[in-house]
PDB file of all heavy atoms in Angstrom:
ATOM      1  N   ASN A  26      17.194   9.701  23.458  1.00 83.00           N
ATOM      2  CA  ASN A  26      18.023   8.824  24.122  1.00 83.00           C
ATOM      3  C   ASN A  26      18.279   7.633  23.328  1.00 83.00           C
ATOM      4  O   ASN A  26      18.000   6.482  23.842  1.00 83.00           O
ATOM      5  CB  ASN A  26      17.559   8.469  25.532  1.00 83.00           C
ATOM      6  CG  ASN A  26      17.622   9.682  26.473  1.00 83.00           C
ATOM      7  OD1 ASN A  26      18.311  10.659  26.286  1.00 83.00           O
ATOM      8  ND2 ASN A  26      16.880   9.618  27.538  1.00 83.00           N
ATOM      9  N   THR A  27      18.667   7.738  22.037  1.00 85.00           N
ATOM     10  CA  THR A  27      18.802   6.526  21.196  1.00 85.00           C
ATOM     11  C   THR A  27      20.142   6.595  20.530  1.00 85.00           C
ATOM     12  O   THR A  27      20.749   7.726  20.461  1.00 85.00           O
ATOM     13  CB  THR A  27      17.765   6.472  20.144  1.00 85.00           C
ATOM     14  OG1 THR A  27      17.870   7.556  19.239  1.00 85.00           O
ATOM     15  CG2 THR A  27      16.338   6.315  20.622  1.00 85.00           C
ATOM     16  N   ASN A  28      20.705   5.472  20.098  1.00 87.00           N
ATOM     17  CA  ASN A  28      21.931   5.461  19.327  1.00 87.00           C
ATOM     18  C   ASN A  28      21.691   5.268  17.851  1.00 87.00           C
ATOM     19  O   ASN A  28      22.743   4.903  17.127  1.00 87.00           O
ATOM     20  CB  ASN A  28      22.829   4.439  19.914  1.00 87.00           C
ATOM     21  CG  ASN A  28      23.254   4.555  21.262  1.00 87.00           C
ATOM     22  OD1 ASN A  28      23.532   5.803  21.689  1.00 87.00           O
ATOM     23  ND2 ASN A  28      23.267   3.571  22.081  1.00 87.00           N
ATOM     24  N   MET A  29      20.448   5.498  17.483  1.00 84.00           N
ATOM     25  CA  MET A  29      20.143   5.338  16.009  1.00 84.00           C
ATOM     26  C   MET A  29      18.987   6.286  15.600  1.00 84.00           C
ATOM     27  O   MET A  29      18.512   6.936  16.529  1.00 84.00           O
ATOM     28  CB  MET A  29      19.585   3.903  15.928  1.00 84.00           C
ATOM     29  CG  MET A  29      18.326   3.704  16.677  1.00 84.00           C
ATOM     30  SD  MET A  29      17.922   1.914  16.904  1.00 84.00           S
ATOM     31  CE  MET A  29      18.834   1.579  18.270  1.00 84.00           C
ATOM     32  N   PRO A  30      18.850   6.440  14.344  1.00 78.00           N
ATOM     33  CA  PRO A  30      17.691   7.319  13.919  1.00 78.00           C
ATOM     34  C   PRO A  30      16.384   6.797  14.588  1.00 78.00           C
ATOM     35  O   PRO A  30      16.129   5.655  14.731  1.00 78.00           O
ATOM     36  CB  PRO A  30      17.618   7.176  12.432  1.00 78.00           C
ATOM     37  CG  PRO A  30      18.993   6.644  12.049  1.00 78.00           C
ATOM     38  CD  PRO A  30      19.466   5.888  13.153  1.00 78.00           C
ATOM     39  N   ALA A  31      15.569   7.809  14.972  1.00 79.00           N
ATOM     40  CA  ALA A  31      14.288   7.516  15.681  1.00 79.00           C
ATOM     41  C   ALA A  31      13.212   8.465  15.290  1.00 79.00           C
ATOM     42  O   ALA A  31      13.481   9.522  14.963  1.00 79.00           O
ATOM     43  CB  ALA A  31      14.478   7.465  17.159  1.00 79.00           C
ATOM     44  N   ALA A  32      12.027   7.927  15.308  1.00 79.00           N
ATOM     45  CA  ALA A  32      10.814   8.813  15.035  1.00 79.00           C
ATOM     46  C   ALA A  32       9.725   8.395  15.974  1.00 79.00           C
ATOM     47  O   ALA A  32       9.631   7.219  16.304  1.00 79.00           O
ATOM     48  CB  ALA A  32      10.466   8.668  13.615  1.00 79.00           C
ATOM     49  N   LEU A  33       8.920   9.296  16.340  1.00 81.00           N
ATOM     50  CA  LEU A  33       7.718   9.043  17.110  1.00 81.00           C
ATOM     51  C   LEU A  33       6.463   9.347  16.359  1.00 81.00           C
ATOM     52  O   LEU A  33       6.399  10.539  15.837  1.00 81.00           O
ATOM     53  CB  LEU A  33       7.759   9.906  18.473  1.00 81.00           C
ATOM     54  CG  LEU A  33       6.513   9.827  19.390  1.00 81.00           C
ATOM     55  CD1 LEU A  33       6.425   8.450  19.949  1.00 81.00           C
ATOM     56  CD2 LEU A  33       6.721  10.862  20.402  1.00 81.00           C
ATOM     57  N   LEU A  34       5.719   8.370  16.056  1.00 83.00           N
ATOM     58  CA  LEU A  34       4.508   8.573  15.198  1.00 83.00           C
ATOM     59  C   LEU A  34       3.242   8.561  15.957  1.00 83.00           C
ATOM     60  O   LEU A  34       3.031   7.765  16.775  1.00 83.00           O
ATOM     61  CB  LEU A  34       4.489   7.480  14.149  1.00 83.00           C
ATOM     62  CG  LEU A  34       5.719   7.315  13.290  1.00 83.00           C
ATOM     63  CD1 LEU A  34       5.688   6.046  12.399  1.00 83.00           C
ATOM     64  CD2 LEU A  34       6.030   8.544  12.491  1.00 83.00           C
ATOM     65  N   GLU A  35       2.380   9.491  15.684  1.00 82.00           N
ATOM     66  CA  GLU A  35       1.047   9.617  16.206  1.00 82.00           C
ATOM     67  C   GLU A  35       0.027   9.198  15.247  1.00 82.00           C
ATOM     68  O   GLU A  35      -0.205  10.021  14.250  1.00 82.00           O
ATOM     69  CB  GLU A  35       0.806  10.927  16.790  1.00 82.00           C
ATOM     70  CG  GLU A  35      -0.318  11.032  17.700  1.00 82.00           C
ATOM     71  CD  GLU A  35      -0.338  12.344  18.471  1.00 82.00           C
ATOM     72  OE1 GLU A  35       0.012  13.363  17.901  1.00 82.00           O
ATOM     73  OE2 GLU A  35      -0.671  12.379  19.735  1.00 82.00           O
ATOM     74  N   MET A  36      -0.496   7.997  15.208  1.00 85.00           N
ATOM     75  CA  MET A  36      -1.300   7.518  14.116  1.00 85.00           C
ATOM     76  C   MET A  36      -2.748   7.912  14.236  1.00 85.00           C
ATOM     77  O   MET A  36      -3.477   8.102  13.295  1.00 85.00           O
ATOM     78  CB  MET A  36      -1.164   5.981  14.110  1.00 85.00           C
ATOM     79  CG  MET A  36       0.221   5.532  13.912  1.00 85.00           C
ATOM     80  SD  MET A  36       1.207   6.244  12.520  1.00 85.00           S
ATOM     81  CE  MET A  36       0.391   5.376  11.202  1.00 85.00           C
ATOM     82  N   GLU A  37      -3.296   7.829  15.403  1.00 85.00           N
ATOM     83  CA  GLU A  37      -4.801   8.274  15.593  1.00 85.00           C
ATOM     84  C   GLU A  37      -4.760   8.780  17.037  1.00 85.00           C
ATOM     85  O   GLU A  37      -3.889   8.687  17.835  1.00 85.00           O
ATOM     86  CB  GLU A  37      -5.630   7.047  15.492  1.00 85.00           C
ATOM     87  CG  GLU A  37      -5.947   6.622  14.131  1.00 85.00           C
ATOM     88  CD  GLU A  37      -6.765   7.756  13.407  1.00 85.00           C
ATOM     89  OE1 GLU A  37      -7.452   8.568  13.907  1.00 85.00           O
ATOM     90  OE2 GLU A  37      -6.770   7.656  12.105  1.00 85.00           O
ATOM     91  N   PHE A  38      -5.974   9.207  17.417  1.00 82.00           N
ATOM     92  CA  PHE A  38      -6.246   9.825  18.710  1.00 82.00           C
ATOM     93  C   PHE A  38      -7.273   8.928  19.502  1.00 82.00           C
ATOM     94  O   PHE A  38      -8.377   8.747  18.908  1.00 82.00           O
ATOM     95  CB  PHE A  38      -6.633  11.247  18.719  1.00 82.00           C
ATOM     96  CG  PHE A  38      -5.635  12.172  18.059  1.00 82.00           C
ATOM     97  CD1 PHE A  38      -5.781  12.526  16.698  1.00 82.00           C
ATOM     98  CD2 PHE A  38      -4.580  12.699  18.837  1.00 82.00           C
ATOM     99  CE1 PHE A  38      -4.836  13.334  16.123  1.00 82.00           C
ATOM    100  CE2 PHE A  38      -3.607  13.403  18.260  1.00 82.00           C
ATOM    101  CZ  PHE A  38      -3.726  13.797  16.892  1.00 82.00           C
ATOM    102  N   LEU A  39      -6.956   8.426  20.593  1.00 84.00           N
ATOM    103  CA  LEU A  39      -7.872   7.696  21.343  1.00 84.00           C
ATOM    104  C   LEU A  39      -9.080   8.502  21.828  1.00 84.00           C
ATOM    105  O   LEU A  39     -10.190   7.897  22.122  1.00 84.00           O
ATOM    106  CB  LEU A  39      -7.226   6.948  22.579  1.00 84.00           C
ATOM    107  CG  LEU A  39      -6.197   5.960  22.213  1.00 84.00           C
ATOM    108  CD1 LEU A  39      -5.471   5.420  23.437  1.00 84.00           C
ATOM    109  CD2 LEU A  39      -6.713   4.803  21.356  1.00 84.00           C
ATOM    110  N   SER A  40      -8.852   9.768  21.949  1.00 87.00           N
ATOM    111  CA  SER A  40      -9.939  10.698  22.509  1.00 87.00           C
ATOM    112  C   SER A  40     -10.996  10.944  21.388  1.00 87.00           C
ATOM    113  O   SER A  40     -12.055  11.486  21.654  1.00 87.00           O
ATOM    114  CB  SER A  40      -9.323  12.014  22.977  1.00 87.00           C
ATOM    115  OG  SER A  40      -8.605  12.623  21.949  1.00 87.00           O
ATOM    116  N   SER A  41     -10.642  10.574  20.133  1.00 87.00           N
ATOM    117  CA  SER A  41     -11.610  10.798  19.002  1.00 87.00           C
ATOM    118  C   SER A  41     -12.388   9.445  18.807  1.00 87.00           C
ATOM    119  O   SER A  41     -11.833   8.388  18.673  1.00 87.00           O
ATOM    120  CB  SER A  41     -10.854  11.188  17.830  1.00 87.00           C
ATOM    121  OG  SER A  41     -11.551  10.894  16.628  1.00 87.00           O
ATOM    122  N   LYS A  42     -13.678   9.635  18.780  1.00 91.00           N
ATOM    123  CA  LYS A  42     -14.558   8.460  18.515  1.00 91.00           C
ATOM    124  C   LYS A  42     -14.158   7.701  17.188  1.00 91.00           C
ATOM    125  O   LYS A  42     -14.066   6.560  17.081  1.00 91.00           O
ATOM    126  CB  LYS A  42     -16.010   8.833  18.614  1.00 91.00           C
ATOM    127  CG  LYS A  42     -16.617   9.108  20.042  1.00 91.00           C
ATOM    128  CD  LYS A  42     -18.066   9.287  19.976  1.00 91.00           C
ATOM    129  CE  LYS A  42     -18.548   9.660  21.331  1.00 91.00           C
ATOM    130  NZ  LYS A  42     -19.977   9.869  21.439  1.00 91.00           N
ATOM    131  N   LYS A  43     -13.978   8.621  16.237  1.00 90.00           N
ATOM    132  CA  LYS A  43     -13.666   8.068  14.867  1.00 90.00           C
ATOM    133  C   LYS A  43     -12.244   7.388  14.913  1.00 90.00           C
ATOM    134  O   LYS A  43     -12.085   6.255  14.408  1.00 90.00           O
ATOM    135  CB  LYS A  43     -13.568   9.207  13.835  1.00 90.00           C
ATOM    136  CG  LYS A  43     -13.254   8.705  12.462  1.00 90.00           C
ATOM    137  CD  LYS A  43     -13.186   9.906  11.503  1.00 90.00           C
ATOM    138  CE  LYS A  43     -12.869   9.382  10.150  1.00 90.00           C
ATOM    139  NZ  LYS A  43     -12.662  10.502   9.159  1.00 90.00           N
ATOM    140  N   GLY A  44     -11.293   8.058  15.559  1.00 88.00           N
ATOM    141  CA  GLY A  44      -9.962   7.467  15.746  1.00 88.00           C
ATOM    142  C   GLY A  44      -9.962   6.096  16.498  1.00 88.00           C
ATOM    143  O   GLY A  44      -9.326   5.079  16.122  1.00 88.00           O
ATOM    144  N   LEU A  45     -10.790   6.062  17.524  1.00 91.00           N
ATOM    145  CA  LEU A  45     -10.856   4.941  18.323  1.00 91.00           C
ATOM    146  C   LEU A  45     -11.439   3.685  17.547  1.00 91.00           C
ATOM    147  O   LEU A  45     -11.012   2.561  17.554  1.00 91.00           O
ATOM    148  CB  LEU A  45     -11.686   5.157  19.647  1.00 91.00           C
ATOM    149  CG  LEU A  45     -11.747   3.987  20.570  1.00 91.00           C
ATOM    150  CD1 LEU A  45     -10.433   3.526  21.120  1.00 91.00           C
ATOM    151  CD2 LEU A  45     -12.583   4.417  21.761  1.00 91.00           C
ATOM    152  N   ALA A  46     -12.523   4.070  16.790  1.00 93.00           N
ATOM    153  CA  ALA A  46     -13.187   2.999  15.858  1.00 93.00           C
ATOM    154  C   ALA A  46     -12.252   2.507  14.866  1.00 93.00           C
ATOM    155  O   ALA A  46     -12.125   1.286  14.586  1.00 93.00           O
ATOM    156  CB  ALA A  46     -14.466   3.598  15.291  1.00 93.00           C
ATOM    157  N   LEU A  47     -11.354   3.412  14.305  1.00 92.00           N
ATOM    158  CA  LEU A  47     -10.388   2.948  13.288  1.00 92.00           C
ATOM    159  C   LEU A  47      -9.304   2.080  13.901  1.00 92.00           C
ATOM    160  O   LEU A  47      -8.995   1.050  13.341  1.00 92.00           O
ATOM    161  CB  LEU A  47      -9.723   4.184  12.673  1.00 92.00           C
ATOM    162  CG  LEU A  47     -10.603   4.999  11.699  1.00 92.00           C
ATOM    163  CD1 LEU A  47      -9.875   6.243  11.360  1.00 92.00           C
ATOM    164  CD2 LEU A  47     -10.912   4.198  10.457  1.00 92.00           C
ATOM    165  N   LEU A  48      -8.919   2.353  15.183  1.00 92.00           N
ATOM    166  CA  LEU A  48      -7.930   1.519  15.780  1.00 92.00           C
ATOM    167  C   LEU A  48      -8.375   0.130  16.174  1.00 92.00           C
ATOM    168  O   LEU A  48      -7.677  -0.791  16.403  1.00 92.00           O
ATOM    169  CB  LEU A  48      -7.392   2.214  16.952  1.00 92.00           C
ATOM    170  CG  LEU A  48      -6.488   3.448  16.719  1.00 92.00           C
ATOM    171  CD1 LEU A  48      -6.214   4.268  17.952  1.00 92.00           C
ATOM    172  CD2 LEU A  48      -5.259   3.074  15.965  1.00 92.00           C
ATOM    173  N   LYS A  49      -9.727  -0.003  16.199  1.00 94.00           N
ATOM    174  CA  LYS A  49     -10.332  -1.352  16.475  1.00 94.00           C
ATOM    175  C   LYS A  49     -10.491  -2.218  15.251  1.00 94.00           C
ATOM    176  O   LYS A  49     -10.924  -3.352  15.288  1.00 94.00           O
ATOM    177  CB  LYS A  49     -11.735  -1.150  17.170  1.00 94.00           C
ATOM    178  CG  LYS A  49     -11.553  -0.613  18.618  1.00 94.00           C
ATOM    179  CD  LYS A  49     -12.920  -0.406  19.230  1.00 94.00           C
ATOM    180  CE  LYS A  49     -12.822   0.151  20.557  1.00 94.00           C
ATOM    181  NZ  LYS A  49     -14.183   0.160  21.197  1.00 94.00           N
ATOM    182  N   SER A  50     -10.225  -1.579  14.036  1.00 94.00           N
ATOM    183  CA  SER A  50     -10.444  -2.269  12.720  1.00 94.00           C
ATOM    184  C   SER A  50      -9.163  -2.855  12.262  1.00 94.00           C
ATOM    185  O   SER A  50      -8.113  -2.222  12.112  1.00 94.00           O
ATOM    186  CB  SER A  50     -10.886  -1.205  11.721  1.00 94.00           C
ATOM    187  OG  SER A  50     -10.611  -1.808  10.381  1.00 94.00           O
ATOM    188  N   GLN A  51      -9.068  -4.216  12.206  1.00 96.00           N
ATOM    189  CA  GLN A  51      -7.925  -4.906  11.750  1.00 96.00           C
ATOM    190  C   GLN A  51      -7.447  -4.397  10.344  1.00 96.00           C
ATOM    191  O   GLN A  51      -6.277  -4.361  10.135  1.00 96.00           O
ATOM    192  CB  GLN A  51      -8.155  -6.539  11.719  1.00 96.00           C
ATOM    193  CG  GLN A  51      -6.840  -7.184  11.509  1.00 96.00           C
ATOM    194  CD  GLN A  51      -5.727  -6.945  12.560  1.00 96.00           C
ATOM    195  OE1 GLN A  51      -6.033  -7.078  13.781  1.00 96.00           O
ATOM    196  NE2 GLN A  51      -4.545  -6.679  12.083  1.00 96.00           N
ATOM    197  N   ALA A  52      -8.428  -4.275   9.495  1.00 95.00           N
ATOM    198  CA  ALA A  52      -8.094  -3.789   8.167  1.00 95.00           C
ATOM    199  C   ALA A  52      -7.372  -2.420   8.228  1.00 95.00           C
ATOM    200  O   ALA A  52      -6.417  -2.149   7.470  1.00 95.00           O
ATOM    201  CB  ALA A  52      -9.359  -3.624   7.251  1.00 95.00           C
ATOM    202  N   TYR A  53      -7.834  -1.459   9.081  1.00 93.00           N
ATOM    203  CA  TYR A  53      -7.153  -0.244   9.174  1.00 93.00           C
ATOM    204  C   TYR A  53      -5.772  -0.347   9.755  1.00 93.00           C
ATOM    205  O   TYR A  53      -4.794   0.212   9.304  1.00 93.00           O
ATOM    206  CB  TYR A  53      -8.045   0.765  10.104  1.00 93.00           C
ATOM    207  CG  TYR A  53      -7.447   2.150  10.253  1.00 93.00           C
ATOM    208  CD1 TYR A  53      -7.507   2.981   9.147  1.00 93.00           C
ATOM    209  CD2 TYR A  53      -6.733   2.495  11.367  1.00 93.00           C
ATOM    210  CE1 TYR A  53      -6.987   4.246   9.221  1.00 93.00           C
ATOM    211  CE2 TYR A  53      -6.222   3.752  11.479  1.00 93.00           C
ATOM    212  CZ  TYR A  53      -6.397   4.698  10.413  1.00 93.00           C
ATOM    213  OH  TYR A  53      -5.844   5.934  10.494  1.00 93.00           O
ATOM    214  N   LEU A  54      -5.604  -1.212  10.753  1.00 94.00           N
ATOM    215  CA  LEU A  54      -4.305  -1.471  11.366  1.00 94.00           C
ATOM    216  C   LEU A  54      -3.348  -2.005  10.342  1.00 94.00           C
ATOM    217  O   LEU A  54      -2.148  -1.682  10.242  1.00 94.00           O
ATOM    218  CB  LEU A  54      -4.318  -2.414  12.627  1.00 94.00           C
ATOM    219  CG  LEU A  54      -5.177  -1.885  13.819  1.00 94.00           C
ATOM    220  CD1 LEU A  54      -5.317  -2.929  14.779  1.00 94.00           C
ATOM    221  CD2 LEU A  54      -4.524  -0.610  14.272  1.00 94.00           C
ATOM    222  N   ASP A  55      -3.822  -3.013   9.547  1.00 94.00           N
ATOM    223  CA  ASP A  55      -2.977  -3.579   8.466  1.00 94.00           C
ATOM    224  C   ASP A  55      -2.509  -2.484   7.507  1.00 94.00           C
ATOM    225  O   ASP A  55      -1.358  -2.468   7.065  1.00 94.00           O
ATOM    226  CB  ASP A  55      -3.684  -4.674   7.778  1.00 94.00           C
ATOM    227  CG  ASP A  55      -3.995  -5.920   8.603  1.00 94.00           C
ATOM    228  OD1 ASP A  55      -3.273  -6.046   9.667  1.00 94.00           O
ATOM    229  OD2 ASP A  55      -4.754  -6.698   8.302  1.00 94.00           O
ATOM    230  N   LYS A  56      -3.453  -1.528   7.206  1.00 92.00           N
ATOM    231  CA  LYS A  56      -3.154  -0.520   6.148  1.00 92.00           C
ATOM    232  C   LYS A  56      -2.102   0.434   6.860  1.00 92.00           C
ATOM    233  O   LYS A  56      -1.212   0.856   6.141  1.00 92.00           O
ATOM    234  CB  LYS A  56      -4.417   0.241   5.968  1.00 92.00           C
ATOM    235  CG  LYS A  56      -4.400   1.228   4.769  1.00 92.00           C
ATOM    236  CD  LYS A  56      -5.722   1.820   4.493  1.00 92.00           C
ATOM    237  CE  LYS A  56      -5.679   2.716   3.230  1.00 92.00           C
ATOM    238  NZ  LYS A  56      -7.042   3.204   2.933  1.00 92.00           N
ATOM    239  N   MET A  57      -2.161   0.709   8.144  1.00 91.00           N
ATOM    240  CA  MET A  57      -1.147   1.523   8.821  1.00 91.00           C
ATOM    241  C   MET A  57       0.149   0.850   8.760  1.00 91.00           C
ATOM    242  O   MET A  57       1.187   1.536   8.506  1.00 91.00           O
ATOM    243  CB  MET A  57      -1.638   1.851  10.311  1.00 91.00           C
ATOM    244  CG  MET A  57      -2.430   3.031  10.453  1.00 91.00           C
ATOM    245  SD  MET A  57      -2.544   3.634  12.175  1.00 91.00           S
ATOM    246  CE  MET A  57      -2.816   2.245  13.216  1.00 91.00           C
ATOM    247  N   VAL A  58       0.217  -0.398   9.108  1.00 92.00           N
ATOM    248  CA  VAL A  58       1.471  -1.156   9.200  1.00 92.00           C
ATOM    249  C   VAL A  58       2.109  -1.151   7.761  1.00 92.00           C
ATOM    250  O   VAL A  58       3.240  -0.908   7.601  1.00 92.00           O
ATOM    251  CB  VAL A  58       1.242  -2.583   9.785  1.00 92.00           C
ATOM    252  CG1 VAL A  58       2.511  -3.416   9.523  1.00 92.00           C
ATOM    253  CG2 VAL A  58       0.858  -2.472  11.186  1.00 92.00           C
ATOM    254  N   ASP A  59       1.308  -1.370   6.761  1.00 92.00           N
ATOM    255  CA  ASP A  59       1.790  -1.397   5.281  1.00 92.00           C
ATOM    256  C   ASP A  59       2.371  -0.051   4.974  1.00 92.00           C
ATOM    257  O   ASP A  59       3.415   0.055   4.435  1.00 92.00           O
ATOM    258  CB  ASP A  59       0.802  -1.704   4.379  1.00 92.00           C
ATOM    259  CG  ASP A  59       0.299  -3.244   4.431  1.00 92.00           C
ATOM    260  OD1 ASP A  59       1.107  -4.021   5.086  1.00 92.00           O
ATOM    261  OD2 ASP A  59      -0.690  -3.517   3.892  1.00 92.00           O
TER     262      ASP A  59
END
Side-chain angles (χ1 to χ4, degrees):
N26 296 338
T27 65
N28 295 322
M29 64 196 83
L33 177 64
L34 305 172
E35 192 167 41
M36 305 303 289
E37 280 297 339
F38 299 98
L39 296 176
S40 58
S41 158
K42 286 183 181 182
K43 181 181 177 185
L45 186 57
L47 287 170
L48 290 170
K49 291 179 179 181
S50 162
Q51 188 61 50
Y53 183 77
L54 295 175
D55 291 343
K56 194 173 182 178
M57 272 198 311
V58 169
D59 288 345

